Amino acid sequence: MDLTLRLNARLQPIHQFQFEDVIHTLLTKKGIGETSGGGVAQDPEGETTYCEIEIHLDDTKPNNIIQLLEILSKTGIPKGSTLWSADPEFNIEVGTLEGLAYYFNNTELPYSIYETCDVNYALEQMEKAIEGIGKLYSYWKGRAYTALYFYGHSFFEMKQKIEAFNATYPLCQKSRIEQIA
C-alpha cells in the first residue's frame, strides 16, 4: 500500500529528509515498510508551506496501519498533517504538536542592531525559554524575514515563554509570531 504523509510543517529540504529518514528507520526496523522519497512545497518567496513523505507499507493489514500511526505519533507530527492514499476513503488526520513561527525583521531595524546583535544568540535564548515545551525543527531566511519554526505541545506556552526575551533583545523589534499548526 502506497501512502503519502503530508506534514503541516515548515521544514527545509535537509530537515524534511532527516524526518523521512527517522520514519524509514522505524518502518524497516519493524519490517512493515519503508519511505520512498518526498519533498517540500514552497511559496513564491521560497518559504516552505508543507512537506510530503512517500511511504510504502508491505501490506494493508490493520496492524501495519496501527504500527505506522504509532511511529508517526512518536516522531512528533504537527497538527493538521494527513496520511492519505489513492483511495479517496483513506484519509487520516495525524499530529498532536502545535507550531510557532518566529519571524525576525531583516530590513526595517537600524543597521547598528544588525551589526551588534546575533540571531544565533536569540535562538539559544528562545530554545532555553521553551525547553521541555517545544523545540526548533527548522528555519528559513528570506529577503524581508528570517523565520524560526518551533513545534511543541502548546503554541500559547511557547509564545508566552519567548515573549519575555522578545521584549528585551533589540534584534526582536518589529518581529512577529504566528501559529502554524
Side-chain angles (χ1 to χ4, degrees):
M1 171 182 235
D2 292 320
L3 304 167
T4 300
L5 172 63
R6 178 170 284 183
L7 290 169
N8 183 27
R10 297 184 185 183
L11 306 175
Q12 288 189 30
I14 186 69
H15 301 130
Q16 180 273 339
F17 178 75
Q18 291 168 347
F19 217 89
E20 179 184 335
D21 194 43
V22 167
I23 294 169
H24 179 82
T25 299
L26 294 171
L27 286 169
T28 56
K29 185 176 179 180
K30 288 190 176 278
I32 61 170
E34 63 188 2
T35 59
S36 58
V40 299
Q42 298 175 325
D43 70 15
E45 299 214 5
E47 184 177 14
T48 298
T49 54
Y50 66 88
C51 304
E52 289 188 340
I53 298 173
E54 302 299 325
I55 297 171
H56 174 77
L57 290 181
D58 294 335
D59 61 54
T60 58
K61 292 178 186 173
N63 190 46
N64 285 352
I65 300 291
I66 291 168
Q67 288 185 70
L68 172 59
L69 293 174
E70 288 172 356
I71 287 169
L72 297 179
S73 177
K74 290 177 186 175
T75 306
I77 304 289
K79 288 180 179 178
S81 299
T82 56
L83 183 63
W84 56 276
S85 75
D87 177 355
E89 293 186 23
F90 189 94
N91 188 353
I92 301 172
E93 286 195 28
V94 295
T96 59
L97 300 181
E98 296 184 357
L100 181 147
Y102 187 95
Y103 291 92
F104 291 96
N105 187 306
N106 291 343
T107 60
E108 297 178 5
L109 302 180
Y111 185 73
S112 61
I113 290 176
Y114 297 118
E115 284 186 320
T116 59
C117 293
D118 183 1
V119 71
N120 292 312
Y121 172 76
L123 170 59
E124 288 172 13
Q125 298 308 305
M126 290 178 188
E127 286 183 310
K128 284 180 187 177
I130 66 168
E131 190 172 344
I133 300 168
K135 67 178 188 174
L136 180 75
Y137 271 48
S138 195
Y139 58 87
W140 169 74
K141 183 167 179 16
R143 188 191 66 72
Y145 292 95
T146 296
L148 304 176
Y149 305 120
F150 299 96
Y151 293 91
H153 300 290
S154 170
F155 165 79
F156 178 76
E157 288 182 52
M158 290 188 293
K159 182 180 179 198
Q160 188 176 34
K161 297 286 186 181
I162 287 172
E163 283 180 333
F165 172 75
N166 188 47
T168 63
Y169 196 60
L171 188 61
C172 297
Q173 296 175 48
K174 297 188 179 186
S175 64
R176 73 179 199 271
I177 295 174
E178 293 180 11
Q179 185 167 4
I180 55 174

